C-alpha cells in the first residue's frame, strides 16, 4: 500500500491535557522542536499539545488498592500481571523497570487492568524485548509511563501489539522503539502522549480484520518518527510517517502537534471513512502534512499546516519530476453518500497552509481500481463492492460496477482557507507553488474500461471537486487534468474549470 501510483503515461501526442500555543520549530527530524509564539489569523489552530518537553504531573503515591511494581525486580510487572485478577490497578514505582531479557517477554494485561507510572517510572525494553503490552484483553488503561527501547518488527507495534479494543493510553511517552510505538483497536483513546523517535510510526492504526471504529487521537505530540527511513530501505512501501491509519471507520484527530517526522505527518490509507481532522498543528514534516488515500468522507478544518514537504518535494523537483507533490494530498479519496458517515463529502475549510511545498493536490490514478494489477492495495476493494472478483469484464464496463469498482476523488469542497507562499522562505524557484486536480492517461491493464483521458476529464470537470472563497498570498499556479497543463489564477477561474469563485488573489498574480 503506497503512493507509487503517482505516475502517469501520456499518449504519444502530448481532554485533560496541558496545552500550549506554538509555532515553528527549528530542530532536525529526530529532535523535538521548541515552541515560539502562537499562530494567528483565521483558521489557525489555537492550541497545540507540547507534551514531550512538559509531560505533566504523575501520581507520586500508589492509589488505594493498587499493586505496587518494584523496578529492582526484573520481570516484576509481567509476573504481577499474571498473578492478579482482571481489573487490577498497578502502580509502577520510580525507576527503570525491565522485563526478562528474552525477545518475547512481554506484559499480558487482563480485561480492565490499569497501569499507572510514578514520576520517573520507565519501562525499558533494553533493545532486547520486542513488545511491551500485548494480548487481546479489552479496556486496558496505561497512564503516566515512559515506554522505550523495544524492538518490534516492521509494521508491528510495542504498546497494544495485538490491537485489542477499548484501550486508553494517556500522558505516556512512547519513544525510541523499533516498528510502531503503538497499535490500535476499536474505541481506542490516545490522549496527551509523546510519540517520539520511533523507528517506523508513532502509531500504526491498523487492526487485523479492519474493525477499528471510534478512534480518538487527541492532544498528542507526534515527532521525529520513522528514524529507520523505511521508504529509502523499501522504496514505494508506503510504510512510514507520524501516524498511519488503515481501514478506520470513524476517527477524531484533533489538537495534536505533528512535526519533524521523516515522511508524512498523518496518512490515512485504504478504506478509511468518517474522519474529523481538526485543530492540529502539522509542521516541518519531510513529506506531506496529510495524505488521505483511497478513503471516504472527511472533515479537515481549523488546522495550521506549515513548512511541510520541503524534503520530498524538493527531491522530486530536482530529479525533474513534474508531478505536483502536495502538502495535502488526496489520492483516489472522496465523498460518497452511500457510505454512512457524518458528512458525504471531503470538506476542507478554515485551514491555514503557510510556506509548504505546494498546496492541495486531488489525484486519481486511472489504472488503480479493484482487481487491477496497478492497485497497490491489492487485497482490497472499495466499500461499495465486497468481492473484488466481480470487477472484471464485461460487468465492470457498465453500471453499477463501472463507478463502484474504483475509488474516486469526488465531492471535495475546498473553501475558506488561507494559502500563503513566500518563495524566499521555502527557498524554491519552481514546482513548489501549485494546487492541482489531475489524473493519468489510462493504459493498464488491457481489459481496463478506464483507458485514455476519461478519468482525467471526470476528476477535473465532472466529479464535483470545488475550490471557492479562499484567500491566496504569494504567486500560485494551478495544474489541471495532467501535469502538462499549468494555469494562472485567471485561467483557473475561467471556463471550463471555473474554480475558486469568490477567492482573492494578490494583484500581481495571473497575466
Amino acid at each position: 500500500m503506497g503512493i507509487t501510483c503517482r505516475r502517469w503515461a501520456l499518449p504519444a501526442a502530448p481532554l485533560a491535557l496541558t496545552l500550549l500555543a506554538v509555532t515553528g520549530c527549528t530542530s532536525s527530524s529526530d529532535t523535538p522542536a521548541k515552541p515560539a509564539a502562537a499562530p494567528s489569523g483565521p483558521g489557525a489552530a489555537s492550541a497545540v499539545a507540547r507534551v514531550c518537553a512538559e509531560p505533566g504531573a504523575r501520581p507520586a503515591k500508589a492509589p488505594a488498592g493498587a499493586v505496587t511494581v518494584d523496578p529492582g525486580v526484573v520481570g516484576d510487572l509481567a509476573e504481577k500481571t499474571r498473578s492478579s485478577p482482571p481489573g487490577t490497578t498497578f502502580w509502577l514505582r520510580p525507576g527503570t523497570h525491565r522485563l526478562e531479557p528474552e525477545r518475547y517477554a512481554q506484559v499480558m494485561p487482563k480485561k480492565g487492568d490499569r497501569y499507572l507510572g510514578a514520576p520517573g517510572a520507565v519501562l525499558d525494553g533494553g533493545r532486547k524485548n520486542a513488545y511491551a503490552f500485548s494480548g487481546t484483553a479489552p479496556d486496558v488503561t496505561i497512564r503516566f509511563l515512559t515506554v522505550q527501547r523495544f524492538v518490534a518488527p516492521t509494521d508491528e507495534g510495542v504498546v497494544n501489539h495485538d490491537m485489542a479494543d477499548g484501550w486508553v493510553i494517556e500522558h505516556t511517552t512512547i519513544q525510541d522503539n523499533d516498528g510502531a510505538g503503538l497499535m490500535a483497536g476499536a474505541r481506542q483513546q490516545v490522549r496527551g502522549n509523546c510519540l517520539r523517535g520511533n523507528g517506523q510510526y508513532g502509531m500504526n492504526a491498523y487492526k487485523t480484520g479492519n474493525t477499528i471504529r471510534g478512534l480518538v487521537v487527541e492532544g498528542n505530540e507526534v515527532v521525529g518518527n520513522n528514524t529507520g527511513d523505511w521508504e529509502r530501505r523499501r522504496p514505494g512501501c508506503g510504510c512510514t510517517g507520524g501516524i498511519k491509519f488503515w481501514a478506520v471507520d470513524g476517527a477524531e484527530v484533533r489538537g495534536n502537534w505533528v512535526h519533524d517526522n521523516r515522511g508524512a505527518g498523518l496518512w490515512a490509507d485504504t478504506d478509511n471513512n468518517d474522519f474529523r481532522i481538526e485543530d492540529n498543528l502539522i509542521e516541518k514534516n519531510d513529506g506531506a502534512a496529510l495524505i488521505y488515500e483511497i478513503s471516504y468522507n472527511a472533515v479537515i478544518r481549523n488546522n495550521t499546516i506549515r513548512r511541510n514537504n520541503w524534503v520530498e518535494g524538493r527531491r522530486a523537483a530536482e530529479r525533474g519530476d513534474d508531478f505536483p507533490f502536495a502538502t495535502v494530498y488526496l489520492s483516489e479519496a472522496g465523498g460518497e453518500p452511500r457510505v454512512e458517515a457524518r458528512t458525504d463529502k471531503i470538506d476542507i475549510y478554515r485551514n491555514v497552509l503557510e510556506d509548504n511545498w505546494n498546496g492541495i493536490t486531488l489525484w486519481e490514478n486511472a489504472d488503480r481500481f479493484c482487481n487491477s494489477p496497478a492497485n497497490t492495495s491489492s487485497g482490497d476493494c472499495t466499500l461499495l463492492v465486497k468481492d473484488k472478483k466481480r470487477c472484471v469484464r464485461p460487468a465492470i464496463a457498465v453500471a453499477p460496477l463501472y463507478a463502484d469498482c474504483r475509488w474516486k476523488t469526488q465531492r471535495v469542497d475546498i473553501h475558506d482557507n488561507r494559502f500563503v507562499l513566500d518563495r524566499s522562505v521555502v527557498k524554491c524557484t519552481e514546482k513548489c507553488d501549485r494546487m492541482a486536480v489531475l489524473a493519468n492517461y489510462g493504459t493498464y491493464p488491457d481489459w481496463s474500461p478506464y483507458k485514455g483521458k476519461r478519468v482525467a476529464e471526470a476528476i477535473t470537470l465532472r466529479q464535483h471537486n470545488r475550490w471557492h472563497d479562499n484567500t491566496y498570498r504569494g504567486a500560485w499556479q494551478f495544474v489541471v487534468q495532467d501535469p502538462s497543463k499549468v494555469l494562472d489564477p485567471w485561467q483557473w477561474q475561467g471556463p471550463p474549470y471555473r474554480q475558486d469563485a469568490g477567492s482573492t488573489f494578490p494583484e500581481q498574480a495571473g497575466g
Side-chain angles (χ1 to χ4, degrees):
M1 300 180 186
I3 53 174
T4 53
C5 57
R6 296 183 293 189
R7 294 292 181 266
W8 51 90
L10 296 176
L15 225 94
L17 308 175
T18 299
L19 299 177
L20 180 66
V22 298
T23 61
C25 46
T26 58
S27 60
S28 69
S29 294
D30 296 326
T31 305
K34 294 181 179 180
S40 61
S46 58
V48 176
R50 183 178 182 260
V51 295
C52 291
E54 300 178 4
R58 295 182 174 190
K61 295 182 179 180
V67 173
T68 297
V69 181
D70 185 353
V73 179
V74 172
D76 196 41
L77 178 60
E79 177 57 35
K80 285 179 175 174
T81 296
R82 278 193 294 270
S83 60
S84 298
T88 298
T89 296
F90 302 90
W91 182 72
L92 283 71
R93 292 174 56 191
T96 299
H97 298 253
R98 300 188 187 280
L99 305 176
E100 295 291 343
E102 301 171 359
R103 179 169 178 79
Y104 296 109
Q106 56 199 283
V107 181
M108 301 284 287
K110 298 182 176 74
K111 180 179 180 180
D113 282 352
R114 300 171 70 238
Y115 298 87
L116 308 178
V122 176
L123 180 60
D124 193 320
R127 310 300 300 171
K128 296 177 181 178
N129 308 121
Y131 316 120
F133 294 92
S134 303
T136 59
D139 305 326
V140 172
T141 297
I142 299 170
R143 290 193 177 105
F144 309 118
L145 274 176
T146 294
V147 180
Q148 65 185 29
R149 302 205 311 147
F150 286 80
V151 286
T154 306
D155 297 326
E156 298 184 33
V158 169
V159 175
N160 197 10
H161 168 262
D162 295 303
M163 304 158 281
D165 294 339
W167 283 38
V168 176
I169 302 99
E170 293 181 330
H171 311 298
T172 290
T173 295
I174 304 174
Q175 64 183 7
D176 302 330
N177 302 288
D178 290 353
L182 70 155
M183 303 297 285
R187 307 184 319 281
Q188 183 160 298
Q189 299 178 46
V190 182
R191 289 193 171 98
N193 302 289
C194 171
L195 308 180
R196 175 170 59 190
N198 295 291
Q200 189 178 7
Y201 306 111
M203 179 171 71
N204 183 6
Y206 166 80
K207 181 177 172 69
T208 305
N210 298 340
T211 58
I212 297 179
R213 306 285 186 272
L215 178 64
V216 176
V217 182
E218 181 177 18
N220 305 283
E221 184 173 353
V222 184
V223 54
N225 295 290
N226 187 29
T227 60
D229 199 6
W230 280 96
E231 288 286 348
R232 178 184 59 78
R233 296 163 68 176
R234 289 166 46 184
C237 69
C239 61
T240 59
I243 299 179
K244 192 79 180 276
F245 303 90
W246 312 79
V248 174
D249 189 4
E252 303 286 341
V253 183
R254 58 178 174 253
N256 302 286
W257 184 17
V258 183
H259 65 103
D260 293 277
N261 294 285
R262 181 176 283 155
L266 303 174
W267 190 344
D269 184 358
T270 307
D271 287 340
N272 296 278
N273 175 52
D274 197 14
F275 271 52
R276 189 166 288 169
I277 302 170
E278 59 187 352
D279 298 320
N280 301 286
L281 175 58
I282 310 175
E283 62 181 345
K284 293 192 69 175
N285 297 287
D286 285 1
L290 170 64
I291 300 175
Y292 205 69
E293 182 177 0
I294 59 171
S295 294
Y296 301 88
N297 302 326
V299 173
I300 303 167
R301 64 187 179 192
N302 298 330
N303 300 287
T304 297
I305 300 171
R306 59 192 175 198
R307 301 193 180 197
N308 296 282
N309 204 31
W310 287 14
V311 173
E312 294 187 6
R314 193 182 313 279
R315 185 183 298 150
E318 289 175 349
R319 68 173 180 254
D321 195 331
D322 61 354
F323 188 90
F325 292 89
T327 288
V328 176
Y329 178 52
L330 274 60
S331 176
E332 298 91 22
E336 176 51 73
R338 291 174 292 172
V339 176
E340 185 177 353
R342 290 166 290 181
T343 182
D344 61 3
K345 59 185 178 179
I346 294 184
D347 202 1
I348 304 175
Y349 65 97
R350 292 205 305 264
N351 302 286
V352 175
L353 276 72
E354 181 177 355
D355 294 332
N356 300 286
W357 193 282
N358 289 325
I360 299 174
T361 288
L362 310 186
W363 161 253
E364 196 169 323
N365 182 350
D367 299 330
R368 187 181 195 184
F369 53 90
C370 301
N371 218 25
S372 167
N375 178 21
T376 53
S377 300
S378 57
D380 297 281
C381 195
T382 69
L383 294 180
L384 301 173
V385 180
K386 293 184 178 180
D387 183 2
K388 71 175 185 177
K389 294 179 181 178
R390 295 177 58 204
C391 298
V392 295
R393 290 275 189 175
I396 194 174
V398 297
L401 293 183
Y402 179 83
D404 292 352
C405 284
R406 65 176 302 111
W407 296 270
K408 294 198 288 187
T409 304
Q410 63 179 9
R411 300 174 62 85
V412 180
D413 195 4
I414 303 168
H415 61 99
D416 296 289
N417 301 286
R418 181 176 175 86
F419 300 119
V420 178
L421 177 64
D422 184 339
R423 289 172 180 263
S424 69
V425 173
V426 182
K427 295 181 175 60
C428 68
T429 57
E430 61 177 354
K431 298 181 181 177
C432 64
D433 55 357
R434 300 183 175 188
M435 299 281 175
V437 53
L438 75 166
N440 59 326
Y441 189 88
T443 61
Y444 179 77
D446 58 8
W447 52 270
S448 169
Y450 311 111
K451 289 183 177 180
K453 298 180 179 179
R454 61 186 66 190
V455 173
E457 291 173 347
I459 187 176
T460 305
L461 299 172
R462 297 194 296 274
Q463 289 181 185
H464 308 288
N465 298 313
R466 297 182 62 231
W467 279 256
H468 62 97
D469 298 294
N470 298 296
T471 299
Y472 291 83
R473 293 293 179 264
W476 289 86
Q477 298 186 90
F478 301 86
V479 179
V480 295
Q481 197 161 328
D482 70 63
S484 69
K485 296 182 181 179
V486 182
L487 312 179
D488 65 32
W490 317 129
Q491 294 170 314
W492 172 248
Q493 288 184 305
Y497 309 109
R498 303 189 187 281
Q499 293 288 2
D500 266 316
S503 297
T504 59
F505 294 87
E507 292 183 4
Q508 68 269 26

